[in-house]
Amino acid sequence: MRHLWGRVRPGLIATMPVLLLAAACASGLEAWRVARANGTIAALEAGTDAEVSPGAPPPVLAARVAFLAKRGRLDEAEPLLPGLEAGDDRADLARARYVLANARMRAAFGLLARGELDKAGPLVTLSRQDYRRALRERPDFWDAKFNLDVASRLIRDYPELNRTDGDELQSEPKKIWTDIPGQPRGGP
């Protein structure tokens, strides 16, 4: 045993500083990446635009999505979502979906205020989908639950009605219901 230790010891003494230096460099590089990501997040939250690559860390992508959604630039925010979906942090993905849904609801409320009901409908539908996706990622997300309820009350899902010629509408009797709360179903 003593003989083996005598043979291994000089090699260990020579390689140990190299390994420690490599570990220190790796730790320093990771600290630099974290500081850079935190700086980008702080700039975005302060209102300064910062370019973010789709391969950026999830918190940076979520901050960029929030920045773009707050300014109504939803077309630029959508391509960042696959980067969040690929990551392991489901809370950032839920938050990004929630922020996008809120931006769509704000746009829909603006259209409703101007009386453009036909344009507001698809935005409300898309926001409901995003609220549901946020809840799928984080079921305890109370704000998303509340906003989904508001969006669902704004535009209801009605049964599909088959149109025929003229003013006649045909539907299956099973699919007709009263949508007024408190009214009995069926009968006069």
Side-chain angles (χ1 to χ4, degrees):
M1 183 71 149
R2 192 175 220 180
H3 184 275
L4 181 65
W5 176 248
R7 291 178 72 198
V8 173
R9 185 175 152 201
L12 218 103
I13 290 173
T15 58
M16 196 59 117
V18 173
L19 291 175
L20 290 174
L21 181 63
C25 287
S27 295
L29 181 62
E30 185 61 27
W32 176 76
R33 284 184 186 154
V34 168
R36 189 171 153 209
N38 286 341
T40 303
I41 291 170
L44 289 168
E45 288 177 352
T48 304
D49 196 1
E51 283 299 317
V52 172
S53 70
V60 175
L61 291 173
R64 176 74 174 161
V65 168
F67 174 84
L68 294 171
K70 191 181 288 186
R71 285 149 183 81
R73 296 164 46 187
L74 302 178
D75 293 338
E76 295 175 50
E78 285 289 336
L80 298 175
L81 290 176
L84 282 168
E85 290 169 351
D88 294 334
D89 193 354
R90 307 325 288 171
D92 283 330
L93 176 58
R95 183 54 116 184
R97 291 276 184 199
Y98 172 76
V99 167
L100 282 175
N102 283 346
R104 286 191 175 105
M105 284 300 291
R106 279 192 300 274
F109 282 133
L111 290 170
L112 289 172
R114 290 191 304 266
E116 299 178 34
L117 301 177
D118 292 337
K119 292 181 182 178
L123 287 174
V124 173
T125 302
L126 287 173
S127 69
R128 280 194 315 208
Q129 290 173 356
D130 277 336
Y131 287 133
R132 285 188 183 110
R133 288 178 184 152
L135 287 169
R136 195 174 312 128
E137 299 302 329
R138 207 175 118 203
D140 63 333
F141 198 172
W142 191 87
D143 291 341
K145 288 179 187 178
F146 181 83
N147 289 0
L148 174 61
D149 184 50
V150 170
S152 296
R153 290 172 190 254
L154 192 59
I155 294 182
R156 301 255 185 207
D157 290 326
Y158 289 105
E160 290 294 323
L161 300 175
N162 298 326
R163 272 207 185 270
T164 59
D165 296 346
D167 292 333
E168 279 186 40
L169 293 177
Q170 292 185 359
S171 66
E172 295 178 26
K174 294 182 211 172
K175 293 186 177 181
I176 297 177
W177 70 84
T178 305
D179 198 31
I180 302 170
Q183 293 293 323
R185 295 178 187 250

